[in-house]
Amino acid sequence: MITQEKQKTWRIEIDEFPGGPDGFELISRFCYNNGTISITVSNVCLLHCCAVFLEMTEKKESLLHQTQVFLEGIFYWSWNEIITCLKNCDLFFSYADSYGLIDKLLCSLLAKIAQNSDLNFLSVSSSPSSSSPDTITSSTISRKAAWAWWFQDLNILSPKIIQHFLKALGAYGNDNNNLVLTKFLLQYLKTSSLHLKNTTVQKHEYEGLADTVVHGVVLMGKSSFSCRGLFWVLRIVSGFGISKERRAELERLIGGMLDQATLDDLLVSSRGGGGGNGGVYDVNLVIRLIRLFVQYYNEEVSFEKLKKVGELVDMYLGEIGPDSNLKISKFLGVAESLPDCARDSFDQVYGAIDSYLQSHPALSLEERSRLCRCLNYEKLSLEACKDLAKNPRIPPRIAIQALSSQHSNIQIIDDDEDINNNNCQLVLYDHHKLNTEEHMKVNLERMQSRVVELEKVCREMKGQMRKMVKIAPQHTRLC
């Protein structure tokens, strides 16, 4: 073809040649070396695919025949040789798969695992005919070294090969009911997430594996995974884009165990620095988990567990309060996700609100008032209420509402009582004298420096206070 054309330069393109330039170079060496080439574990699969692609089957000594003879000894290869050969198939995976090489290699790989394991990991499943959950978590897992020796070696394989590995075992997607393979997948995805930036593999290639591992985790449930372990699983699989259905299943499982969580568990980073929250942490996730827990509480969760979650949520509010990028709606979403009966005191909630206000100095009066709506004033301690009254960041109207709700805790002093009585802790407002918002603000600023000055006007305000006790609006939220 070249000699018949008059063009001085030629460029011949062979589309989708197995292995690209590397494969073509191997075939060239074979052709220009009188039909001989050194076949090794590293190149046998590529040579075989090239021979089939080019239909090199004319003689008994053809390249295809030579590679077939070499592959007949695959079950005598060492463990490392099989792993190396599988790894080399990544560049021409579709050919190696369609020509049956991947299945042959995986069959040999599984034979090696079976020969060198004293535990048949295929029997470790959650099916009714398998071991009980107690057996799985105590006996089987304690013998991890018996079946986990191959985990690390398989980490170098591509997700396509791991997917075929699971399919060969009948444990891919909804078919995964195997604890050992689930734990292997978790380690594989964790390792892959650390090296993903340095490879050409795309995240979407791991989606099927991520869904498979979540299915296994949900199926094993509480019998094999602690609450902290489930949060660890969530962190791993979130980086690979699991389906909405699988995420919902995993979050539902975590939500039912939220009383066992710690603050560190809840501090899940918001992917991309936002994640829809506008903040550092994935607050949307926490809101969903709390709501799921409340659903469980309405059905079967004890009141003690609800109180534990209440304490956890208050600590979380204190952690996210200083985040200057967090939206008001998200802060309120967390604070209002629990019923009032989950808290004996709202002091921590007030502290979180104050932290939020300090980190958001530009909030309007309306926004600051909106933020305070999650407070139950009757469950504020007198000390917290005093601090709220002195706080210049709290709208005056909110301060008055909080103080008026404290009437049951206020001791009215008779004319003959000693104003300096140690049992007297009094914070009062005169609604008739505070005619304008600006006037309220001035009085509140004065209280910031000397709350004790209000005690001096106690006698003058006694009459007004008695009236206020009768007509004060109830700004409370009862459980």
Side-chain angles (χ1 to χ4, degrees), residues 25-230:
E25 181 181 351
L26 282 176
I27 290 297
S28 300
R29 290 180 181 277
F30 174 79
C31 294
Y32 285 94
N33 195 33
N34 297 321
T36 60
I37 192 171
S38 176
I39 301 178
T40 66
V41 169
S42 298
N43 66 18
V44 63
C45 287
L46 180 54
L47 285 171
H48 181 83
C49 291
C50 292
V52 175
F53 182 81
L54 295 175
E55 301 179 0
M56 303 174 70
T57 61
E58 295 180 359
K59 302 178 182 179
K60 288 185 178 180
E61 296 80 13
S62 67
L63 181 59
L64 181 61
H65 176 74
Q66 293 182 46
T67 57
Q68 288 174 336
V69 172
F70 191 92
L71 288 169
E72 289 176 358
I74 192 171
F75 286 96
Y76 298 100
W77 293 3
S78 68
W79 169 264
N80 289 334
E81 287 176 332
I82 298 173
I83 296 293
T84 299
C85 197
L86 275 170
K87 176 65 177 175
N88 291 339
C89 288
D90 285 345
L91 297 177
F92 49 97
F93 179 83
S94 59
Y95 291 104
D97 185 30
S98 61
Y99 299 156
L101 294 178
I102 299 297
D103 289 340
K104 284 184 179 181
L105 289 166
L106 288 177
C107 186
S108 180
L109 185 77
L110 290 172
K112 294 292 183 184
I113 293 177
Q115 292 171 4
N116 294 277
S117 299
D118 60 356
L119 174 67
N120 182 8
F121 67 87
L122 293 178
S123 67
V124 184
S125 67
S126 62
S127 61
S129 60
S130 65
S131 303
S132 66
D134 291 338
T135 304
I136 292 175
T137 55
S138 59
S139 175
T140 304
I141 296 179
S142 65
R143 300 175 62 191
K144 181 178 179 181
W147 45 258
W149 59 269
W150 46 273
F151 281 18
Q152 190 68 34
D153 292 335
L154 267 59
N155 283 340
I156 67 172
L157 301 179
S158 69
K160 292 179 292 187
I161 294 178
I162 297 300
Q163 181 175 314
H164 274 63
F165 173 73
L166 296 173
K167 287 181 177 179
L169 293 171
Y172 183 74
N174 293 336
D175 295 326
N176 177 29
N177 63 351
N178 190 286
L179 178 61
V180 176
L181 294 178
T182 297
K183 288 184 174 293
F184 158 68
L185 269 181
L186 286 171
Q187 178 172 311
Y188 177 80
L189 291 176
K190 177 186 176 184
T191 303
S192 299
S193 65
L194 298 175
H195 304 293
L196 199 57
K197 294 181 180 180
N198 300 323
T199 65
T200 58
V201 181
Q202 301 297 318
K203 284 187 177 182
H204 68 83
E205 297 185 36
Y206 292 89
E207 291 177 0
L209 298 180
D211 281 355
T212 298
V213 77
V214 171
H215 178 79
V217 169
V218 172
L219 200 61
M220 309 302 166
K222 301 176 183 179
S223 63
S224 299
F225 294 90
S226 65
C227 185
R228 168 155 288 191
L230 292 175

Side-chain angles (χ1 to χ4, degrees), residues 283-354:
V283 179
N284 285 333
L285 168 66
V286 175
I287 293 174
R288 293 196 300 270
L289 294 178
I290 298 172
R291 290 174 179 172
L292 287 168
F293 179 82
V294 172
Q295 291 178 8
Y296 277 100
Y297 168 70
N298 292 331
E299 298 173 1
E300 57 185 23
V301 177
S302 66
F303 182 67
E304 289 73 17
K305 291 183 178 180
L306 180 66
K307 298 293 284 292
K308 289 183 65 176
V309 173
E311 295 174 0
L312 178 64
V313 169
D314 287 353
M315 288 190 293
Y316 183 73
L317 285 171
E319 190 70 26
I320 65 175
D323 186 353
S324 59
N325 294 317
L326 185 65
K327 299 176 181 178
I328 290 179
S329 60
K330 301 307 175 184
F331 184 94
L332 289 174
V334 177
E336 297 178 336
S337 57
L338 288 173
D340 281 6
C341 57
R343 299 180 174 97
D344 292 328
S345 170
F346 272 70
D347 287 9
Q348 282 188 279
V349 180
Y350 163 66
I353 289 175
D354 190 35

Side-chain angles (χ1 to χ4, degrees), residues 356-369:
Y356 188 90
L357 290 174
Q358 291 181 49
S359 61
H360 297 77
L363 291 180
S364 65
L365 181 65
E366 180 182 356
E367 289 173 322
R368 286 182 283 141
S369 299

